Every structure is written in C-alpha cells, then in structure tokens.
Amino acid sequence: VVFIDDQDGTTVKLLDGALHLWGKAMAMHDRSFRPLRDVPARPDPNAWWVVLGHGHLEHTEDDLYGRSSPVTPADIEATAADYVALGHWHVRTDASTENVSAWYSGAPYGVAASHQMNLIDLHPVHGVIVSSVPVELPPAGCRPA
C-alpha cells in the first residue's frame, strides 16, 4: 500500500520503474481543489503513466455548477497519461478524451452499485484495455467488521 499524502502531488514508481503513478492528496473536498491540475510531464517516455484523481466531471469550465473537486475533459487531456483513474462517481463511467483513456471505477457496493469493477490492462501492443469484471458480494452483504 502506498499512501499519497502530498497536496501538491507526488509520483510513485512501481514495477522497477515500468509504471509511474501520480496523484495528489485532497485537503478539502471543495471547488478550489482541482485534482488533475498541475500534473507533471510524463517522467519516463518508456514507462506507463497513470494519473489518479478524485473529483466531479464537468464537460467545460462553464459547467462548473459549484460541485466540489471539478475535473474537465481538458484537464484529463492535459495529463497526457496513458490512463486516468477517476474516483467520486458511484457509477462506472467512461470519461476518456481523444488521446487519454479515463474511467470512473464506480462502486461495487451500495445504492448505485453496479457489482462491477474495472480491470485495466496496460498492454505493450494494444495499449490500454479497460474491461468490466463482476464483483461477487459477500454472503452476508457488505457491512463493517
């Protein structure tokens, strides 16, 4: 487990540098927090570049209806990432742009549950492949331990 706690963002290298992840900690879930702003340039052109962000997708800057932690397609595109993993929406949603694959994973449990999760395959020939995989519910349901 790697805990990203830098509010300005940090890059984590995994798999001997074959995968670089970038994300930033959220101090306050409000409109001023822009989870995909100030993403650095790809650190290694030969490694996979995955950006992590928790926020609310709005289609343009004009659509920012006061929702917290806004993310726009322009923000996603500007990452130049191979994949952007988004969180906040409880419904599995494709938020990809012309050049960047981006998805909300959704929530496998709860009111809006799809009982699905995203499986991301970073394939050296075919690029990013996103698949939906079923999540089996525990026999007693999901409840605190």
Side-chain angles (χ1 to χ4, degrees):
V1 174
V2 176
F3 185 70
I4 297 175
D5 61 355
D6 187 337
Q7 294 176 23
D8 293 323
T10 192
T11 301
V12 176
K13 289 192 285 186
L14 300 173
L15 304 173
D16 295 325
L19 172 64
H20 293 218
L21 305 172
W22 181 89
K24 65 173 139 178
M26 177 190 311
M28 181 66 74
H29 199 22
D30 64 20
R31 279 182 46 76
S32 68
F33 178 68
R34 300 298 296 261
L36 299 185
R37 289 286 166 94
D38 304 317
V39 175
R42 177 187 294 267
D44 181 343
N46 299 312
W48 290 103
W49 181 226
V50 175
V51 172
L52 316 168
H54 185 96
H56 182 75
L57 181 65
E58 299 288 357
H59 294 289
T60 69
E61 291 289 334
D62 296 333
D63 291 338
L64 303 181
Y65 299 115
R67 300 294 301 260
S68 58
S69 307
V71 172
T72 66
D75 293 335
I76 294 169
E77 187 73 18
T79 67
D82 294 305
Y83 183 74
V84 175
L86 295 168
H88 187 58
W89 285 13
H90 293 196
V91 177
R92 186 176 175 271
T93 305
D94 184 352
S96 300
T97 62
E98 185 175 342
N99 298 300
V100 178
S101 181
W103 282 78
Y104 283 93
S105 60
Y109 304 116
V111 175
S114 63
H115 306 295
Q116 301 286 315
M117 68 177 192
N118 288 343
L119 175 64
I120 313 306
D121 185 9
L122 304 174
H123 193 280
V125 174
H126 302 292
V128 177
I129 301 167
V130 180
S131 305
S132 177
V133 177
V135 174
E136 295 296 324
L137 291 171
C142 185
R143 59 182 175 200

